[in-house]
Amino acid sequence: MDNSTTATDLWDRSSSVFGTQPHPSIWLIAVTGVVALAAVVPHGVWRITRNAVTIAHEGGHALVALLSGRRLDGIRLHSDTSGLTVSRGRPTGIGMVLTAAAGYTAPSLLGLGGAYLLAAGHITALLWGAAALLAAMLVMIRNAYGVLTVVLTGAAFVLVSWLTGPAVQAAFAYGVVWFLLLGGVRPPFELGSKRRHGGARDSDADQLARLTNLPAAVWLGLFHVVTLCCLSGGGRWLLGL
């Protein structure tokens, strides 16, 4: 392959990022939704796939911390699917509240944004955008398991974007967005269950309660509202309703 062919290929690929791609069939969209549901509901499968939701959760904390003027010290992702994002700044105030509230809502909000892009036909842009966000997040990871998880996830987006055709890219993109929308709903329910049994007393909801003097149950309810509304709205966009 000569240099001109390589340059042309690179130009075609880069141009497709900013262009639109045809919508897949409703059957493919429905099947990817069912596959995503199968990755969320069974407990044994969820123990593995929840790692992807944790990446989005901690990434949400990190992004909002930076946007609110806080200094981000690092992110840790653990094999039990828990995570920790450490930032510096005022221990109280709106910036800290937004940062604490961003975690449980981030996967669903990312899914909603992804659904909007897919509804507009920007499949390639979604894939490359996700890879770019993961690359930016990798810089702040502070443990080996976290690095491995983010690298493997980012590699999946890059390989699908670079090596596969439009049909596979569409299936992968729709599957990812469905997974974020569906997977974002489950963690607030898990948190509520833990709190009813006396656990998770230093959760994001409890931290928000201390920051705002509003009961943790109010914040947990907000997490439910956001995630369920994102699933409803994002699902309608994906299905073209």
Side-chain angles (χ1 to χ4, degrees), residues 29-30 39 42 52 68 70 78 85 100 102-103 111 127 146 148 154 160-161 175 185 191-192 198 202 207 209 214 220:
I29 296 172
S68 62
R70 299 180 63 81
H78 304 131
T85 299
L127 297 175
L148 177 63
V160 169
S161 301
V185 171
L191 176 58
D202 197 34
Q207 293 180 41
L214 291 174
L220 185 58

Side-chain angles (χ1 to χ4, degrees), residues 44 62 72 77 81 113 143 173 190 208 224 228-229 231:
L72 186 62
L77 305 173
T81 72
N143 67 321
E190 293 177 331
L208 286 163
H224 283 303
L228 290 171
C229 285
L231 174 58

Side-chain angles (χ1 to χ4, degrees), residues 195-222:
R195 296 190 77 258
R196 283 193 299 272
H197 291 87
R201 291 303 176 183
D202 197 34
S203 68
D204 292 352
D206 293 280
Q207 293 180 41
L208 286 163
R210 292 192 289 270
L211 287 167
T212 64
N213 293 320
L214 291 174
V218 171
W219 290 102
L220 185 58
L222 176 64

Side-chain angles (χ1 to χ4, degrees), residues 165-178:
V168 175
Q169 290 183 15
F172 183 78
Y174 273 83
V176 167
V177 172
W178 273 123

